[in-house]
Structures are given as structure tokens and as C-alpha cells.
Amino acid sequence: PPIQRGHKADTTWPLPEGPKSLIAELTALLGPSHVMTGSDTERYARDWMGKYTGQPLAVVRPGSTDEVAACLRLALAHRVPVVPLGGNTGLTGATMTKGELMLSLERLNRIRDINPAARTAHVEAGVVLSRLHEAAEAEGLSFPLWFGARGSAMIGGVLSTNAGGSNVLRYGSTRALCLGLEVVLADGRVLNLMSALHKDNSGYDLKDLFIGAEGTLGVITAAVMKLVPAPRAHATAMLAVRSLGDALTLLNRLQEATGGLVEAFEYMPASYQERLQAVRPDLGLAFDRVHEVTILVELGATAPALVTPGTDGAVPLTSLLEDSLGAMMEAGLITDAVLARTEAQRRAIWARREAAAEITFAVKPFIDTDVALPLDRVEAGLTAFQAGLAAIDPAAGLLVVAHLGDGNLHITIFPDPALAGPAHNDRIVEALEDVVAELGGSFSAEHGVGLSKRPSMARRKSPVAIEVMRAIKAALDPLNQMNPGKVLPS
């Protein structure tokens, strides 16, 4: 019989007739090199952290939207659910498979068009983020979505999770950068929403249903993304400040002084600096000692008045940042500062920030969380959670790094190995959720929900909101074909 949802597939050969027939039909459609089974699926079935290892019935690699649609029609006919896969850089288990058909988008990797006049890019879902960066840069433009996994993350994945990153402060998350989508629905119909319009009030904004849905409503196959003028100069610095409250004041004053040119405002506290020193001593530290609160700030500009070096060789944007920081140092908001004077120095500053995943997951066991708080409540939230964690697990370690400019905190807890386990870890997560909820925050900022945050969805999401989400899911995917068991609580 066909594989039923919620059951683990038997992927040993010979397969039951239903799955065996499906794989034969998929092979006829795509060719044998694009349908993988057994041990050939291993590199797709395991997430990059090693936390989730699945067992897909098969992995298929369609090369066009029409082939994606045909695959979904075949899967529906055999009642085999489908799990879409991009660059496999997620952190929440959203691509975990147990008997489902995994659909890799890696061959949908064409940049269909870069339109410099309209500042748009028409791209397929399998385009790697860094490749879009390069294509935009060749036209003097920028795609301003920037994070450590840009060399492997794909456009379909970043749309499906509404990914964020370091530049959300100025440009918004992926949702804000998307004008149009092409989506294949569960029944194989193609929903063409590939509009390049900035305004369209013709009914419901359907594309926003699929951005952040993690493949539970359909498969994103292409998108129209916004591009912006590439900054012609950056001014970057590492700052030491007395407190997070002072850091928020600093951010607001910098925005006023520069006319909103702050592109990144990243928080790396003492615990982060100490872990960086231990795991990646080759990267060095910005200061000769570890400060309790350190901030990476970066400005970007295109205006000739700010980017054209003067007769002394100084870039006005850097001078503007230096003068602004000098005034705030005199006011006592900043205790120390290091400005990047060369591109090599700028890259060294960013290398320390982009080592976050490497240094965070170097120690096990760990609990990875990703929360958002209102900007003026970040300090109170961290203080409250630290107190709660000490009461639950006095020996636990804590590592925080944050996109402070948009209130996104990546909080990793290292529980006492003697206590670590599902019940203990969940108690810690609930304590964090309590603090976040009390302060008006969210238990998920930019990593999505997937599998790992479904309990949080059940505990913290409005029942009315979940009811509406279930209604949308039932309308678009009545047989629960698309990425079942993810996002919505059971």
C-alpha cells in the first residue's frame, strides 16, 4: 500500500509496490542520475549540525518548475508526502525526513534575469545566496541579505524560513526583499506570482503565505528579489560600551547622525569573546582585554560626498563615524573603540562575528535558541533569563551573540551534562520562553520553527493564530502532503 503519513517507510529493497512504482515513474521522468535511494541519500538526509538524521524514501532533483510540478503530482497520486530541500543550512530540523520523498532544488539554479534599471533579480530557488551577491555586484548593485551560511544557503530556503542576518536593521528580512514568487502547490498546479511590482492591491498578498512557511504549503521554485545600490564605502568599528542600555542609545544617536546609514549593529559579549579566543585564537580580538559589552557597527554609503576620499586620503564616511564615536566617547557612552582603516581590517572584524556557528557548536551538549525582543527590553530579558537559568542549572554555560539592531538574540545554553536530557532541556527552553513572552517577544526570530520549535508553538502561539494557520494548510494542502509534521503543533 502507499506510505501513510506518520509511518516510517521501509526503504530496504524490495520496496512495497506503491513506493517502488513511484520511484520507477520518477526515474522515467527525471532520469536515473536524478533519483537517489538508499545510501545515495545520506548527504541529503543529515542536517549540517548532525542533530537530525533522516531516512527519505528517495531524493529527487528536478531541473525545472515543470519537473517539480510533475514530481508533486506523482507523489500525490501515490500519497507519499514531500519534503523540499534547499542548501540544508537550517537549524530547526525543517527538512527531517522519515519515509517521505525529499525534493532537492539544487538544479533549479539559474539566475533568469538581473534588471539594473528596475533593480530586481529573477532567480530560481536553487541559486546559492553568494552567487546572487556576485551577480548583483557585477551590475554595481547589492542583494542585502548577509549571513555566515551565504556560501551554501539557497534562495528557496531563505524564503521558506524568512531568513534574516546582519543587514536586517537597514534592509529588512527576506520577506521585505521579495517582490514576487513562483510556487508549485501540493497538487502540482503552478501559482505564478512573479510580479516585479512594488505596489499591488489586487486582493490577498498570497506570496506572504509561502514566505516563512518552511515548505508546508508548497514548493517555492523562483522569486523576484529586490536589489539595492552597492555601498561604495563602508565604515566599520568595534566598540566597548558600559551596558546594553548605552548600546541602544548609541545606535539611536548614530542613526540620527548618519541619516540612517547603520547597516549592522552586532552584540558580542564577554562570553562570546572568551569562547572565540579559546576556539579560534587565530582570529584574535579587537581589544587588548575582554570587555563585558562589545558592539560591531558598520555604516554603508553610496553618496559621492561620503565615499570620495579627500586630499588627505580620508574617506568622509569613516570620518563621520569617527567623529560621531568621539563625541559619544566624551559623553561616556563608549569606553573603547577600534576603527577599520583598511579592507583587511574590516574583514578581520567580520571574521570574528561570522565564526559564531563554529564556536557556538564546538561544545556539546547544547541547546540552540533564537529569540526576538523589543530593542529596549533586551537587557532586561537577558538579565532575567540568566537568573532563571542559574536556578534551574547552576552549572550551565551561556553564550549570546545578537543582531542587536533588530532585537534578534541567539542564545545557546550548555546544560550540565549530568542533567542534560529532553525534560531538563525543555525546562530551560520554557524558562526562556517565559521571559520572552513577558517582555512581548517571540520564541523564533529568524530560524523558523521546523521540528525543534513545535513545542514552543503549542505553548506560546495564540490558539486563534494556530487555528487560522491550520485552515490555510487545510485549504492548500488538504492531504497534508507538504512537509508534514513541521511548523504546526500536533
Side-chain angles (χ1 to χ4, degrees):
I3 295 173
Q4 300 299 312
R5 293 180 300 279
H7 290 246
K8 181 177 178 180
D10 178 7
T11 56
T12 59
W13 294 93
L15 287 168
E17 285 306 312
K20 187 175 181 180
S21 173
L22 171 60
I23 290 172
E25 292 176 61
L26 290 167
T27 302
L29 172 68
L30 303 177
S33 61
H34 300 307
V35 180
M36 287 157 282
T37 59
S39 60
D40 291 338
T41 69
E42 288 179 2
R43 74 181 182 91
Y44 297 91
R46 182 179 183 274
D47 76 328
W48 71 274
M49 291 194 304
K51 184 177 180 180
Y52 296 97
T53 301
Q55 189 179 30
L57 171 69
V59 175
V60 294
R61 304 192 314 146
S64 68
T65 300
D66 287 345
E67 287 186 351
V68 172
C71 288
L72 292 193
R73 286 193 294 269
L74 286 173
L76 178 63
H78 288 270
R79 297 297 189 269
V80 175
V82 176
V83 176
L85 177 72
N88 206 16
T89 60
L91 294 167
T92 64
T95 59
M96 177 68 171
T97 50
K98 287 290 185 183
E100 298 93 349
L101 179 69
M102 180 171 274
L103 190 148
S104 170
L105 295 162
E106 62 191 309
R107 291 180 62 222
L108 274 75
N109 58 9
R110 290 172 284 273
I111 297 177
R112 295 178 181 175
D113 177 58
I114 298 285
N115 187 332
R119 292 177 179 169
T120 59
H122 289 60
V123 296
E124 294 184 343
V127 171
V128 173
L129 183 55
S130 61
R131 185 162 162 248
L132 179 54
H133 289 158
E134 292 165 1
E137 185 179 351
E139 300 291 343
L141 298 169
S142 171
F143 179 62
L145 181 67
W146 198 265
F147 50 79
R150 60 188 176 274
S152 51
M154 296 177 184
I155 293 299
V158 301
L159 284 161
S160 292
T161 56
N162 188 28
S166 302
N167 290 15
V168 169
L169 169 62
R170 186 169 183 181
Y171 299 105
S173 59
T174 308
R175 188 186 303 277
L177 296 171
C178 180
L179 292 172
L181 285 182
E182 179 183 83
V183 183
V184 181
L185 301 178
D187 59 8
R189 288 180 296 163
V190 178
L191 180 60
N192 187 340
L193 305 170
M194 290 288 280
S195 167
L197 297 175
H198 289 261
K199 288 184 176 181
D200 183 355
N201 269 339
S202 56
Y204 302 151
D205 191 347
L206 296 178
K207 70 178 171 61
D208 274 348
L209 287 178
F210 300 95
I211 299 174
E214 302 182 45
T216 61
L217 300 178
V219 180
I220 295 172
T221 51
V224 182
M225 307 304 294
K226 296 179 187 177
L227 303 178
V228 300
R232 295 170 57 194
H234 287 101
T236 310
M238 283 295 295
L239 315 174
V241 300
R242 296 175 304 186
S243 68
L244 284 173
D246 282 356
L248 179 58
T249 301
L250 169 64
L251 171 61
N252 291 337
R253 291 189 183 179
L254 276 176
Q255 292 285 49
E256 292 169 5
T258 65
L261 297 181
V262 180
E263 292 198 344
F265 200 77
E266 304 288 297
Y267 170 52
M268 293 178 284
S271 59
Y272 183 91
Q273 303 289 343
E274 289 163 355
R275 178 63 60 83
L276 180 68
Q277 210 168 17
V279 178
R280 289 296 307 272
D282 56 302
L283 295 179
L285 296 178
F287 302 106
D288 55 9
R289 68 181 183 88
V290 173
H291 294 273
E292 280 301 315
V293 180
T294 54
I295 302 292
L296 186 165
V297 62
E298 180 162 278
L299 312 181
T302 59
L306 287 173
V307 304
T308 305
T311 55
D312 59 354
V315 176
L317 183 67
T318 302
S319 300
L320 173 61
L321 178 59
E322 187 171 17
D323 292 344
S324 300
L325 296 180
M328 286 180 266
M329 187 171 285
E330 288 183 8
L333 284 174
I334 301 172
T335 59
D336 205 351
V338 173
L339 269 73
R341 300 293 182 182
T342 65
E343 180 60 22
Q345 290 173 352
R346 175 178 175 251
R347 289 177 181 173
I349 287 174
W350 273 107
R352 298 177 191 121
R353 172 61 182 88
E354 293 184 343
E358 179 183 356
I359 70 172
T360 297
F361 304 136
V363 176
K364 296 181 180 179
F366 62 82
I367 305 168
D368 177 53
T369 69
D370 161 51
V371 303
L373 287 170
L375 300 190
D376 60 339
R377 298 180 177 181
V378 169
E379 187 168 33
L382 284 174
T383 300
F385 176 62
Q386 287 170 336
L389 178 62
I392 296 171
D393 189 341
L398 187 67
L399 188 66
V400 178
V401 64
H403 306 302
L404 193 60
D406 58 51
N408 178 185
L409 307 177
H410 299 292
I411 302 174
T412 306
I413 303 100
F414 304 95
D416 182 346
L419 299 174
H424 180 71
N425 294 1
D426 207 43
R427 188 180 173 198
I428 291 173
V429 172
E430 283 201 63
L432 177 58
E433 290 173 5
D434 286 341
V435 171
V436 169
E438 183 178 346
L439 296 176
S442 170
F443 60 83
S444 181
E446 64 178 4
H447 291 165
V449 176
L451 276 177
S452 65
K453 293 191 178 184
R454 287 177 75 214
S456 300
M457 282 285 282
R459 290 189 291 254
R460 306 295 175 177
K461 198 69 177 177
S462 157
V464 175
I466 291 178
E467 184 179 339
V468 172
M469 290 181 195
R470 289 193 191 282
I472 293 169
K473 171 73 169 172
L476 293 176
D477 183 19
L479 295 179
N480 197 22
Q481 283 285 112
M482 299 307 306
N483 209 6
K486 313 295 170 42
V487 182
L488 295 175
S490 58

